[in-house]
Amino acid sequence: MSGNDLEEIVYKNALINAVKHKGKAHPGSVIGSIMSSHAELRSHAKEVGSAAGKIVAKVNAMDPELQKSELEKLGGLKEEKKKVEEKGLSDLPDVEGEVVLRFAPNPSGPLHIGHARAAVLNSEYVKRYGGKLILRIEDTDPRRVDPEAYQTIEEDLKWLGFNWDEKFIQSDRMEIYYKYAEELIKLGQAYMCTCNGADFKKLKDESKPCPCRNLSVEENLELWKKFGQMDEGDAVLRVKTDINHKNPAIRDWVAMRIVDEEHPRTGNKYRIYPMMNFSVAVDDHLMGMTHVLRGKDHLANSEKQKYLYRHFGWKIPVFIHYGRLKMDDVALSTSKARAGIEDGTYTGWDDPRLGTIRAIARRGIKRGALYELMVEIGSKMADATVSWKKVYGLNRSIIEDSSDRYFFVGKPVKVQIANLPEEEEGTIKRHLHPNFPERGDREIPFTGKVYLTLDDVSRTGKGILRLMDAVNIRFKEGSCKCCGEKIAVYHSSNLEEAREAGAHIVQWVPVAKSIVADVVMPDASVVSGFIEPAASKLKVDDIVQLERFGFARVDEVGDKIRFYFTHK
Ligand code: GLU
């Protein structure tokens, strides 16, 4: 793209932004909309940034009428808007310069595909607008902390390419939450409630205040000081909201409570723990979040949190709620996965049946496929259903060119080919990748003793079967009485003949020198067999295409090679 083209794009976007915002374009927003509508410019962020700086200043100095007429000349508002809407990842609303976004998982286990959405969206938006990406581990419910998750989450995020600028762990910040709780009491916006849960609920459901709501600030502070000596359930700290709020769940929600449970990081140092809505809102404010992206299951939480912002007089970030993500055939919930691992149903967090990031990675799905998927789904409010087929399609286009081909024979049947002319024996060469002959060939020794896949043998009947790049054979009835091997007879070596006869053209491996191989399938079943000798050079994490079988990731090498099946 020439410099002139770039300037024209920036100029037009600056004009659009200025016309939409009372004559004043904002460089961050201009850059953001360019990046979303011109994917080809994303790798030229610097040039776009410096052009935007200059051109926005020029546009902002123009008279608003002139801005409008200039924009008309360039096609007006319409065309650009259409382009932006077509993209999965629409612009974030109300961006003023750089953004501060966060991914805030609970450390209850490794991340799953649902988490990938929040991680990818936040990460992509920070790339688009510039700013700060925060990782915040939300571990203020000691009963729901998996001590290993602090590490597994980081590993998963690194695999995903989520590069955070700052990391916080909420259990380090308890004193901060106490300070704001006390301040809220002093503002008269929080009260210590000693009602029992059922009594409070009854009153709340009738929009009636409980007796504690009228305590004075001094009385509340007194109780707050004694909070640490009380028993679990004796009292909670409540945030004052609208007692007539149409959603009873929002009425005077709990900010702090006692939990008698050893915390994996802080042990028994604290007993008073903030509820999620309190710590999240305090942190989102203190960390300067400009936008909060969260699932729509958090809609009521956002409403609760807004009370806190208003009580403290804080600026409310822009809340964006995206729809649910449903994935066919996958146990998404961490608690179900954990139960299954504990009772032995699943082999671990990377069991191929699970929707965890590590299970997906182990199968040879690349982060790029998840990225593309999440960007395509975007942050829309509507629920999205994702099929594995979709993920596979995205992944296939990533791995297709780089995956070398090999012959793998699963469920092997040993076949002896009788009458094989001597000249047919030798070494068969096949390209490692048919589209990239320059990568070289693999050599497969062919002597007439081969393994074939049971299915290929069974369905051939009396017809011809062609062994790829080798010969055409026919099977004899029964099998060898002394060794049980299936007996085939050499038919010809002519490919055309096989084609005309409609023969199946199948992969095979030599009995001598082939390597024992297992392929772990998505349903965790294992297909055992042999892979051709050239596979001896494979390394863990290589992804290959097992011809006529599918793509697979090398999981373990040794005397035996273990693969995890990726997809067809
Ligand atoms: N830790 C919360 C969760 O994972 C954060 C929710 C949010 O505020 O976005 O559900």
Side-chain angles (χ1 to χ4, degrees):
M1 173 173 297
S2 76
N4 282 348
D5 289 341
L6 172 66
E7 283 184 12
E8 188 172 321
I9 292 170
V10 176
Y11 185 50
K12 180 164 184 194
N13 279 276
L15 287 168
I16 292 175
N17 199 259
V19 168
K20 282 198 213 154
H21 298 101
K22 298 184 190 146
K24 292 283 169 246
H26 197 288
S29 318
V30 173
I31 296 169
S33 46
I34 293 173
M35 293 307 183
S36 75
S37 55
H38 294 273
E40 75 283 5
L41 289 177
R42 289 186 191 152
S43 50
H44 299 278
K46 251 200 183 146
E47 289 99 309
V48 176
S50 88
K54 283 183 231 138
I55 295 172
V56 166
K58 182 174 128 191
V59 166
N60 285 351
M62 285 160 59
D63 182 83
E65 285 311 309
L66 181 59
Q67 291 171 343
K68 276 184 204 152
S69 65
E70 282 288 285
L71 182 57
E72 280 311 308
K73 277 193 231 157
L74 294 172
L77 267 174
K78 253 192 191 146
E79 181 209 5
E80 198 71 14
K81 202 162 173 225
K82 193 167 138 250
K83 254 199 233 156
V84 171
E85 280 173 0
E86 278 166 9
K87 303 294 296 180
L89 206 52
S90 51
D91 281 344
L92 276 182
D94 304 321
V95 174
E96 298 165 9
E98 298 196 324
V99 295
V100 181
L101 307 178
R102 48 53 162 200
F103 173 56
N106 302 335
S108 52
L111 301 182
H112 55 65
I113 193 162
H115 288 114
R117 182 187 198 175
V120 167
L121 290 180
N122 283 298
S123 159
E124 282 297 294
Y125 278 128
V126 171
K127 274 188 222 156
R128 185 183 288 183
Y129 296 104
K132 203 156 53 171
L133 187 57
I134 290 176
L135 168 62
R136 193 171 69 216
I137 308 287
E138 306 207 321
D139 60 345
T140 56
D141 181 352
R143 295 209 169 101
R144 290 178 50 214
V145 175
D146 166 9
E148 285 170 19
Y150 296 96
Q151 191 177 338
T152 50
I153 287 176
E154 288 199 15
E155 286 165 6
D156 292 343
L157 289 175
K158 281 182 190 145
W159 179 84
L160 204 53
F162 177 96
N163 301 314
W164 59 92
D165 300 299
E166 284 173 25
K167 182 183 98 178
F168 296 94
I169 300 183
Q170 286 192 318
S171 55
D172 289 341
R173 301 169 58 79
M174 298 294 279
E175 307 293 340
I176 298 174
Y177 308 131
Y178 293 166
K179 172 176 162 246
Y180 282 94
E182 198 170 314
E183 233 164 82
L184 200 62
I185 296 174
K186 288 182 185 156
L187 287 170
Q189 300 293 8
Y191 60 96
M192 292 294 298
C193 176
T194 49
C195 297
N196 85 39
D199 293 346
F200 179 83
K201 183 174 183 311
K202 193 161 176 287
L203 290 166
K204 176 192 81 169
D205 288 346
E206 291 166 7
S207 286
K208 289 189 187 139
C210 80
C212 312
R213 203 176 204 258
N214 297 323
L215 293 177
S216 67
V217 168
E218 290 67 34
E219 285 166 319
N220 274 314
L221 285 174
E222 203 54 36
L223 283 166
W224 169 248
K225 278 193 199 110
K226 290 186 192 143
F227 201 9
Q229 284 88 58
M230 296 186 200
D231 286 334
E232 192 174 315
D234 278 356
V236 292
L237 180 75
R238 292 189 182 279
V239 176
K240 280 192 192 164
T241 67
D242 179 356
I243 202 73
N244 294 306
H245 195 287
K246 63 180 186 309
N247 179 357
I250 289 174
R251 299 174 194 161
D252 288 14
W253 52 272
V254 176
M256 293 271 176
R257 43 111 191 229
I258 294 176
V259 184
D260 275 325
E261 178 87 24
E262 191 172 316
H263 192 285
R265 290 184 75 247
T266 54
N268 295 313
K269 186 167 174 198
Y270 303 105
R271 291 180 69 230
I272 305 168
Y273 285 95
M275 295 294 278
M276 189 269 265
N277 283 307
F278 191 81
S279 42
V280 160
V282 167
D283 279 348
D284 282 343
H285 166 71
L286 294 178
M287 295 169 193
M289 236 50 80
T290 57
H291 297 70
V292 170
L293 282 91
R294 50 167 65 130
K296 70 179 182 194
D297 45 326
H298 284 295
L299 270 167
N301 290 328
S302 299
E303 281 312 305
K304 289 183 184 177
Q305 292 169 25
K306 281 184 194 164
Y307 279 94
L308 222 48
Y309 285 90
R310 289 191 286 259
H311 290 332
F312 283 119
W314 295 337
K315 182 168 189 259
I316 301 179
V318 182
F319 292 117
I320 294 152
H321 300 95
Y322 46 76
R324 259 177 278 274
L325 180 66
K326 282 179 245 155
M327 184 114 193
D328 53 7
D329 258 0
V330 74
L332 266 188
S333 102
T334 303
S335 52
K336 277 190 201 153
R338 180 184 303 284
I341 293 168
E342 277 162 13
D343 71 17
T345 308
Y346 301 126
T347 51
W349 288 107
D350 54 5
D351 185 291
R353 288 162 289 185
L354 296 179
T356 56
I357 301 281
R358 49 196 56 213
I360 291 169
R362 193 169 190 191
R363 290 178 51 185
I365 309 279
K366 296 289 193 182
R367 78 176 75 161
L370 289 191
Y371 250 81
E372 277 181 54
L373 176 74
M374 296 310 171
V375 165
E376 203 176 305
I377 298 171
S379 51
K380 294 177 201 75
M381 185 74 141
D383 292 346
T385 303
V386 176
S387 68
W388 279 111
K389 222 168 130 196
K390 170 89 199 167
V391 180
Y392 297 164
L394 293 168
N395 198 56
R396 191 174 299 109
S397 55
I398 297 175
I399 63 175
E400 189 128 51
D401 286 353
S402 56
S403 304
D404 286 339
R405 308 320 205 223
Y406 291 92
F407 281 166
F408 163 76
V409 168
K411 292 190 238 150
V413 177
K414 216 186 234 182
V415 177
Q416 161 90 50
I417 306 169
N419 304 337
L420 184 71
E422 213 170 289
E423 67 272 17
E424 298 290 1
E425 294 193 16
T427 302
I428 308 288
K429 285 190 177 184
R430 274 176 77 79
H431 294 323
L432 279 165
H433 195 298
N435 302 345
F436 304 97
E438 65 280 9
R439 259 189 233 164
D441 294 330
R442 42 218 245 227
E443 297 188 346
I444 320 172
F446 179 63
T447 60
K449 270 193 167 229
V450 294
Y451 285 116
L452 298 179
T453 291
L454 176 64
D455 294 347
D456 289 332
V457 174
S458 349
R459 69 185 169 156
T460 301
K462 289 182 179 165
I464 299 177
L465 186 69
R466 176 162 180 88
L467 312 193
M468 271 187 207
D469 282 355
V471 297
N472 304 332
I473 59 171
R474 269 180 199 289
F475 289 106
K476 284 174 109 181
E477 289 286 327
S479 39
C480 175
K481 288 201 178 64
C482 49
C483 61
E485 282 170 23
K486 194 85 189 139
I487 302 177
V489 194
Y490 171 77
H491 180 77
S492 70
S493 62
N494 191 321
L495 173 62
E496 279 316 306
E497 194 181 342
R499 282 204 177 127
E500 273 162 30
H504 290 293
I505 303 178
V506 303
Q507 82 280 22
W508 52 274
V509 294
V511 169
K513 296 197 180 131
S514 284
I515 304 164
V516 178
D518 279 348
V519 184
V520 180
M521 302 303 287
D523 63 1
S525 64
V526 177
V527 178
S528 297
F530 295 94
I531 191 162
E532 60 172 272
S536 64
K537 67 176 180 47
L538 289 177
K539 300 179 302 303
V540 169
D541 277 341
D542 283 347
I543 295 181
V544 297
Q545 187 176 2
L546 305 173
E547 300 199 47
R548 294 185 68 242
F549 191 83
F551 291 90
R553 178 188 148 273
V554 179
D555 192 65
E556 200 177 301
V557 292
D559 291 344
K560 180 172 173 176
I561 303 179
R562 185 174 61 215
F563 294 93
Y564 265 60
F565 188 75
T566 312
H567 46 69
K568 282 269 179 208

